[in-house]
Amino acid sequence: MVQKNKVTQVIDPSEPRDTGVKAGSATAPEAAPLFVLEPGGNRAALKFHELWDYRELLYFLVWRDVKVRYKQTALGIIWAILQPFMTMVAFSLFFGYLGNIPSDGLPYPIFAFAALLPWQLFANSLTASGNSLVNNESLIAKVFFPRLLAPLSAVFVGVVDFALSLVVLGGMMLYYGIS
């Protein structure tokens, strides 16, 4: 949405202004600074050129989060695979075996796992991107960079987990003979 009325206020420091303070007093201003106040225009516009200019920072933010996620845990990479796999086992047991919910001719583990992977990518990315703004508060407050990089880096860390789980899905598809 573009704002139609552009408000510009220019204060000329050479013009005398009535500030209510007598000249020569301790609180009298030296000179009024020059300000030009304008709206930023379309606030929803993405500046892809800024994201491209800061692509190395995005790489290092993603690399930092991946290292923290996989080096400081007891399970490491196995957790990225184990979490959707165990959810698939529970879904297959309760919905496929006990609930007899149809899977359109596919083996229920493949049916459930293929649906869980994009859902978990979405859910984890949404949560992590919101938390990234809180976790990177000191970085955001002190250094200039496109603010979209913080949530974007959290989403890319989720894409790494998604890629690892896709390898498991490929292995399961080979096991079941599904192309």
Side-chain angles (χ1 to χ4, degrees):
M1 184 168 129
V2 178
Q3 197 171 9
K4 293 181 180 177
N5 297 333
K6 194 180 250 190
V7 177
T8 304
Q9 178 183 8
V10 178
I11 302 172
D12 188 5
S14 62
E15 289 182 7
R17 294 187 317 157
D18 182 22
T19 59
V21 179
K22 293 183 180 179
S25 69
T27 59
E30 299 273 332
L34 177 64
F35 290 105
V36 176
L37 303 174
E38 294 180 341
N42 189 358
R43 297 184 55 82
L46 294 175
K47 298 177 182 170
F48 290 110
H49 62 88
E50 280 187 358
L51 293 177
W52 181 253
D53 291 342
Y54 286 88
R55 66 188 177 275
E56 291 175 0
L57 178 61
L58 177 64
Y59 169 77
F60 284 111
L61 288 173
V62 171
W63 182 245
R64 176 195 67 175
D65 290 345
V66 166
K67 282 193 324 188
V68 167
R69 176 176 287 199
Y70 295 130
K71 282 191 176 182
Q72 295 182 357
T73 60
L75 295 176
I77 294 175
I78 296 172
W79 181 251
I81 297 168
L82 194 62
Q83 184 181 10
F85 187 80
M86 294 308 292
T87 307
M88 179 265 310
V89 168
F91 276 26
S92 297
L93 178 68
F94 290 111
F95 295 127
Y97 180 70
L98 297 175
N100 290 327
I101 295 177
S103 62
D104 294 334
L106 291 173
Y108 206 84
I110 298 290
F111 180 74
F113 200 65
L116 280 171
L117 291 184
W119 171 251
Q120 285 191 338
L121 172 66
F122 172 74
N124 292 340
S125 295
L126 191 63
T127 302
S129 63
N131 290 337
S132 71
L133 297 174
V134 175
N135 295 338
N136 293 318
E137 177 187 6
S138 60
L139 182 65
I140 290 172
K142 293 180 182 175
V143 180
F144 172 77
F145 64 95
R147 303 303 185 235
L148 186 59
L149 287 183
L152 199 58
S153 69
V155 169
F156 283 152
V157 172
V159 170
V160 171
D161 290 347
F162 180 73
L164 292 172
S165 296
L166 274 180
V167 171
V168 173
L169 178 63
M172 288 174 55
M173 290 174 72
L174 286 175
Y175 176 78
Y176 283 103
I178 298 173
S179 58

